[in-house]
């Protein structure tokens, strides 16, 4: 254990060092370095954390319903996991110290002379005394703090006058953008009392055209990516937080529908007869490199015999996708980002069916469906 601190000072994302530290502390989450045991090994104390409070708190109405959930195969393990995955070791895409998707509070932090440190793994937001603002930071922020302190003289900080930070340290996909990032931006702009024209937007990445297009209406001075690494000093930093996953999903659903007005154009070419509504849709992952069905052709043939139309989401214009999902009664998909296309629907009777592989049984899209108050069917493959 003697060189754990040194290894993190040299590489704050060192998985081996973080794993050894987790085994020693007994933490449920590998990147939680806030325990007394972790502080002892890393020679830290509570003084590294800021006492700054949010300038605004807001409560969002919850909309969870447990009345529309089915497990047709009576899969007890899957149902237990989805309902009770409260420990971070059970959640592949965590946000916070535990399964905080049922908290209903939104907050906005305004930090003067802030410092932003990001790595591919973690985010550390520091106040004007270089202390970690816990709620604004993510994963192993203490490791980033140690790394920055050790390498202070070598770091080249970018300096910004005003910025709004909405990074969530996730690679881009439809769900993470419209659920985890864009609602924060919308909340910060509408409730943060800021002059957006003077602010730079800081997000994980702005390389995708969908991200750039959906940010245009806010009219930020500029948009900058924080991944993979960034060291930034900001005179006036605004950090919006919506702890409620439920609220972020519903805001994301509203935003995605406003960004892409539904279009019926070219529907016939995709196999849709306007007279056959409502549709049964199968969102195929067969063009993906990960988590696709080994017997994909067989799955498509079986579903076709039961009236399903197969589509590959990434190949379809989002305006057309909006029209398709709006006119669907049931959407079936393997577990993955494609499920977030159900954000488009307004149909209260819509059914979402998710097939879970043994290797990827996270609860993210299950909670998306519950947050939208839709019918959910879960199947373990």
């Amino acid at each position: 254990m003697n060189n754990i601190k040194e290894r993190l000072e040299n590489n704050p994302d060192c998985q081996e060092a973080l794993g050894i530290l987790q085994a020693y502390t007994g933490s449920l989450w590998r990147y939680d370095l806030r325990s007394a045991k972790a502080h002892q090994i890393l020679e830290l104390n509570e003084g590294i954390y800021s006492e700054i409070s949010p300038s605004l708190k807001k409560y969002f109405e919850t909309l969870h319903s447990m009345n529309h959930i089915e497990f047709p195969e009576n899969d007890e393990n899957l149902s237990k996991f989805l309902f009770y995955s409260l420990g971070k070791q059970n959640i592949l895409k965590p946000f916070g110290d535990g399964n905080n998707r049922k908290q209903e509070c939104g907050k906005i932090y305004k930090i003067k002379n802030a410092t932003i440190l990001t790595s591919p793994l973690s985010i550390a937001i520091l106040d004007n005394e270089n202390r970690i603002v816990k709620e604004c930071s993510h994963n192993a922020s203490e490791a980033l703090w140690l790394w920055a302190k050790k390498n202070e003289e070598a770091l080249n900080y970018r300096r910004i006058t005003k910025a709004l930070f909405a990074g969530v340290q996730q690679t881009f996909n439809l769900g993470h953008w419209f659920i985890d990032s864009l609602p924060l931006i919308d909340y910060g702009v509408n409730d943060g009392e800021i002059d957006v024209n003077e602010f730079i937007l800081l997000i994980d990445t702005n390389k995708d055209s969908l991200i750039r297009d959906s940010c245009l209406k806010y009219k930020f001075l500029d948009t900058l990516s924080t991944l993979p690494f960034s060291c930034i000093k900001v005179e006036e930093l605004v950090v919006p937080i919506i702890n409620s996953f439920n609220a972020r999903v519903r805001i994301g659903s509203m935003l995605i529908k406003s960004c892409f007005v539904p279009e019926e154009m070219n529907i016939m070419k995709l196999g849709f007869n306007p007279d056959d509504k409502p549709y049964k849709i199968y969102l195929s992952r067969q063009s993906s490199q990960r988590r696709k069905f080994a017997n994909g052709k067989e799955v498509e043939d079986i579903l076709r015999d039961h009236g399903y139309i197969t589509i590959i989401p990434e190949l379809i214009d989002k305006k057309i996708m909006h029209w398709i999902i709006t006119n669907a009664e049931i959407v079936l998909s393997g577990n993955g980002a494609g499920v977030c296309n159900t954000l488009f629907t307004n149909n209260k009777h819509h059914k979402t069916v998710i097939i879970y592989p043994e290797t990827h049984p996270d609860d993210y899209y299950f909670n998306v469906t519950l947050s939208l108050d839709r019918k959910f069917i879960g199947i373990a493959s």
Side-chain angles (χ1 to χ4, degrees):
M1 300 294 293
N2 294 335
N3 67 342
I4 293 297
K5 178 183 177 184
E6 181 180 353
R7 292 172 71 177
L8 292 176
E9 286 175 332
N10 293 327
N11 176 12
D13 289 5
C14 180
Q15 292 291 336
E16 185 178 5
L18 291 167
I20 294 171
L21 198 55
Q22 179 191 22
Y24 174 75
T25 62
S27 171
L28 294 176
W29 180 234
R30 171 174 288 195
Y31 311 125
D32 179 9
L33 306 184
R34 296 177 182 178
S35 69
K37 282 187 174 182
H39 283 184
Q40 180 184 10
I41 297 299
L42 299 176
E43 300 176 15
L44 299 174
N45 57 57
E46 289 295 314
I48 67 167
Y49 298 117
S50 174
E51 296 181 356
I52 189 172
S53 298
S55 60
L56 173 71
K57 290 186 178 182
K58 179 177 180 178
Y59 287 84
F60 296 92
E61 179 185 0
T62 185
L63 195 70
H64 267 144
S65 171
M66 296 294 180
N67 298 323
H68 312 310
I69 302 169
E70 299 177 31
F71 297 93
E73 301 299 322
N74 295 318
D75 193 301
E76 186 176 349
N77 289 333
L78 178 61
S79 62
K80 280 185 176 180
F81 170 81
L82 293 175
F83 280 118
Y84 303 114
S85 55
L86 301 181
K88 290 184 90 172
Q89 80 276 21
N90 290 334
I91 302 172
L92 301 185
K93 298 182 176 66
F95 295 88
D97 291 334
N99 191 346
N100 59 8
R101 293 172 184 157
K102 294 182 177 62
Q103 294 179 14
E104 297 307 317
C105 189
K107 303 172 185 177
I108 293 179
Y109 281 82
K110 293 186 177 181
I111 307 170
K112 298 290 187 182
N113 299 315
T115 300
I116 300 171
L117 304 169
T118 74
S119 69
L121 175 68
S122 302
I123 298 169
I125 304 292
L126 313 182
D127 66 11
N128 63 341
E129 296 180 344
N130 286 326
R131 294 184 298 178
I132 298 170
V133 183
K134 284 185 180 180
E135 202 165 16
C136 300
S137 302
H138 179 60
N139 281 342
S141 55
E142 295 81 2
L144 269 177
W145 187 88
L146 288 169
W147 169 81
K149 184 178 180 182
K150 173 73 176 297
N151 300 280
E152 184 175 2
E153 294 183 3
L155 296 182
N156 183 21
Y157 285 92
R158 180 166 190 160
R159 298 186 180 274
I160 295 175
T161 303
K162 298 179 180 181
L164 185 148
F165 183 85
V168 295
Q169 223 63 357
Q170 295 286 351
T171 54
F172 169 75
N173 69 36
L174 188 73
H176 291 313
W177 174 245
F178 277 101
I179 293 175
D180 299 317
S181 284
L182 194 57
L184 303 183
I185 297 167
D186 193 76
Y187 174 43
V189 169
N190 292 326
D191 291 72
E193 298 181 346
I194 63 174
D195 186 347
V196 181
N197 298 306
E198 298 179 356
F199 274 71
I200 291 175
L201 174 62
L202 301 175
I203 53 177
D204 294 339
T205 176
N206 65 349
K207 293 181 179 179
D208 194 280
S209 60
L210 186 149
I211 289 178
R212 296 193 298 271
D213 292 346
S214 54
C215 283
L216 286 176
K217 67 176 182 178
Y218 298 111
K219 303 186 185 305
F220 282 98
L221 178 64
D222 198 1
T223 302
L224 300 178
S225 300
T226 59
L227 286 175
F229 289 96
S230 57
C231 300
I232 305 171
K233 298 280 188 181
V234 184
E235 293 180 18
E236 183 179 334
L237 179 66
V238 173
V239 185
I241 295 171
I242 304 176
N243 284 327
S244 167
F245 187 75
N246 181 296
R248 292 205 307 272
V249 169
R250 286 183 283 114
I251 296 170
S253 179
M254 174 192 71
L255 293 173
I256 195 172
K257 284 183 282 194
S258 68
C259 287
F260 304 103
V261 178
E263 284 187 4
E264 190 175 345
M265 184 175 58
N266 297 324
I267 286 299
M268 298 286 284
K269 293 182 180 179
L270 295 173
F272 292 88
N273 185 335
D275 296 330
D276 291 342
K277 295 184 291 187
Y279 304 113
K280 296 178 181 178
I281 305 299
Y282 167 49
L283 301 178
S284 172
R285 292 185 58 89
Q286 294 311 111
S287 65
S288 174
Q289 296 299 313
R290 300 183 303 151
R291 299 195 300 275
K292 57 186 177 182
F293 295 131
N295 59 335
K297 180 63 167 57
E298 181 183 3
V299 171
E300 290 184 16
D301 290 343
I302 293 172
L303 291 174
R304 187 185 305 110
D305 291 341
H306 287 80
Y308 283 80
I309 299 173
T310 297
I311 59 176
I312 300 174
E314 56 267 33
L315 301 182
I316 296 181
D317 183 275
K318 288 294 178 283
K319 293 179 180 180
I320 296 176
M321 180 64 79
H322 188 171
W323 186 90
I324 292 172
I325 299 298
T326 298
N327 289 285
E329 64 174 334
I330 184 167
V331 171
L332 184 149
S333 175
N335 189 34
V339 179
C340 280
N341 283 287
T342 59
L343 290 171
F344 281 121
T345 187
N346 291 314
N347 182 359
K348 295 291 289 184
H349 301 290
H350 174 95
K351 295 180 182 178
T352 298
V353 183
I354 301 179
I355 301 176
Y356 290 89
E358 291 183 358
T359 56
H360 193 61
D362 73 281
D363 65 347
Y364 191 91
Y365 303 105
F366 167 71
N367 278 287
V368 168
T369 307
L370 263 60
S371 297
L372 294 172
D373 199 28
R374 307 295 186 243
K375 297 180 184 295
F376 171 84
I377 300 173
I379 301 171
S381 65

